[in-house]
Amino acid sequence: MSDETVTIIDDTTGKKVQLPLLSPTRGPKTIDISALYKELGYFTFDPGFVSTASCASSITFLDGEKGVLQYRGYPIEQLAAQSSYLEVCFLLINDKLPSRQELDDFEYEITNHTMLHEALKRFFSGFRRDAHPMAIMVGVVGALGAFYHDHMDIHNPEHRMITAHRLIAKMPTIAAWSYRYAMGKPFIYPVNSMSYTENFLNMMYSMPSEKYTPNPLLAKALDLILILHADHEQNASTSTVRLAGSSDANPFAAVAAGIAALWGPAHGGANEAVIRMLMEINESGKSLQSFVDRAKDKDDSFRLMGFGHRVYKNYDPRAKLIRVICHQLLNDMESTGEQKKLLETAMALEKVALEDGYFVKRNLYPNVDFYSGIIFLAMGIPMNMFTVIFAMARTVGWITQWAEMLSDDNHKIGRPRQLYTGPIDLEYVPIEKR
Ligand code: CMC
């Protein structure tokens, strides 16, 4: 923070107000406008929070112009190359890299809390078989609040940590069971001796009647994907978790709200939409340019899914890493012709778009979702599970951001204002006279 100020002069009244200019460790300086309404009687207007920092945070840094992403100061490239998802979880929630012993203890703690309360199983069967697994996940995660009263004092840091561990541990079980239920397959219980990702794959694919050994290549690729999705500062779902949690709602309800926000195709739902788009391109027999032209046409609602980002005006660093994993996985595995064809189409589409003036001018680059769906398909994960896995990975980010908010003694309930544009002072007309 700094002693600098910015002076705002109200041209209509000549009144002046000096507002503090806050300096982050890195990134644009930020004007503290919290006194503006008191001083000048004005609100600020910023739909979609394009120029507004909604909070101060020390968890994740990203520079969209340069394509930089860091968790607790560590570049994502280093974490992807050398760390593991559970180590990244420890880093995010504890604000430091663990010692060997701390990591072993943490892994033990997480792998031993993967079971769900038996009564929760009945929640799954209340859904239709064709329910989207994201709908099931929103419901079941919200319902966790009814099961863990024992550690739900949100003002107690120890309770917050226990909740974080519970959510990280139970999310793969909820995710896999959402899928199993839709497939009409029996629920597979977690196996504590397996790694986090092996256990998830086991719960997804094994059958009680057959021996199943998770493919280590897939488990490793999935671990990397989880690392890349673990946090992304104040995106729509994280801001939703913070806003829901700001009323002191229970953390499971707040995270369920985040899952709901993630579901949309403009956010986490984009990975599913990318595959649908690539399939449509392949099936249509039309040129890639014709799809790019549609994306440019303002009278057509079609957008290139997996392209563009509110913050990244450069190649999304996560997309760069995922693109490499995607190639490796399709080379190393027995991938089908269809998966290879989707990857080829994605790469060709990327090339056409990146050379097109419209995309160049608007700095529209592939984002994290452009290649992740192809990896999921290669893993045999059905399309409607893509966003569920995103939610599983992002849970650590949500709960860390929620805990950071509550640990700030000055935190307030989130309550934006509005620019009212409706009618005023109308006279009520009784129904018989309308
Ligand atoms: N295809 C065609 N045009 C686009 C696209 C796209 N994918 N994305 C942005 N634009 C255009 C947009 O029409 C606008 O043009 P103009 O200036 O002429 O009005 C300009 O680029 C700026 O776009 P915007 O909609 O103002 O940007 P935004 O920051 O509000 O939206 C976005 C960001 C991610 C919602 C948007 O780029 C988009 O809809 N992309 C496709 C969906 C997608 O891939 N979402 C995943 C996001 S990354 C995963 C995550 O973190 O959730």
Side-chain angles (χ1 to χ4, degrees), residues 148-183:
Y148 298 107
H149 300 290
D150 52 342
H151 289 95
M152 214 118 79
D153 176 1
I154 60 166
H155 301 294
N156 180 334
E158 206 183 309
H159 284 206
R160 293 200 292 262
M161 191 57 91
I162 289 169
T163 299
H165 289 186
R166 276 186 171 148
L167 270 164
I168 296 166
K170 293 179 197 311
M171 219 53 163
T173 315
I174 296 173
W177 285 13
S178 308
Y179 167 68
R180 303 289 294 205
Y181 176 73
M183 298 300 288

Side-chain angles (χ1 to χ4, degrees), residues 232 235 262 265-271 274 295-296 298 302-311 313 316 318 358-359 362 364 367-369 390 394:
H232 211 229
N235 54 83
L262 185 76
H267 192 6
N271 47 21
V274 169
K296 289 158 43 178
K298 299 291 175 202
F302 176 80
R303 280 191 161 196
L304 274 200
M305 298 315 287
F307 255 82
H309 197 276
R310 168 61 59 78
V311 184
K313 302 303 167 201
D316 180 337
R318 301 167 301 171
Y358 173 99
F359 286 81
R362 289 168 181 75
L364 299 171
N367 59 49
V368 69
D369 291 315
F390 191 157
R394 185 56 59 82

Side-chain angles (χ1 to χ4, degrees), residues 110-127:
I110 297 300
T111 41
N112 281 279
H113 283 92
T114 45
M115 291 284 287
L116 298 181
H117 192 290
E118 272 300 288
L120 263 169
K121 257 166 88 176
R122 290 200 288 277
F123 279 71
F124 288 85
S125 50
F127 287 91

Side-chain angles (χ1 to χ4, degrees), residues 371-393:
Y371 287 103
S372 63
I374 301 174
I375 301 186
F376 288 146
L377 273 192
M379 289 177 170
I381 291 169
M383 266 193 277
N384 62 5
M385 280 296 288
F386 293 0
T387 317
V388 169
I389 295 177
F390 191 157
M392 192 171 110

Side-chain angles (χ1 to χ4, degrees), residues 94-113:
N94 294 289
D95 194 8
K96 63 167 194 161
L97 283 172
S99 65
R100 178 77 262 165
Q101 187 59 52
E102 284 170 329
L103 183 58
D104 289 347
D105 292 347
F106 182 68
E107 286 176 349
Y108 180 85
E109 170 81 8
I110 297 300
T111 41
N112 281 279
H113 283 92

Side-chain angles (χ1 to χ4, degrees), residues 86-99:
L86 282 188
E87 188 180 50
V88 165
C89 289
F90 184 100
L91 169 68
L92 286 168
I93 58 181
N94 294 289
D95 194 8
K96 63 167 194 161
L97 283 172
S99 65

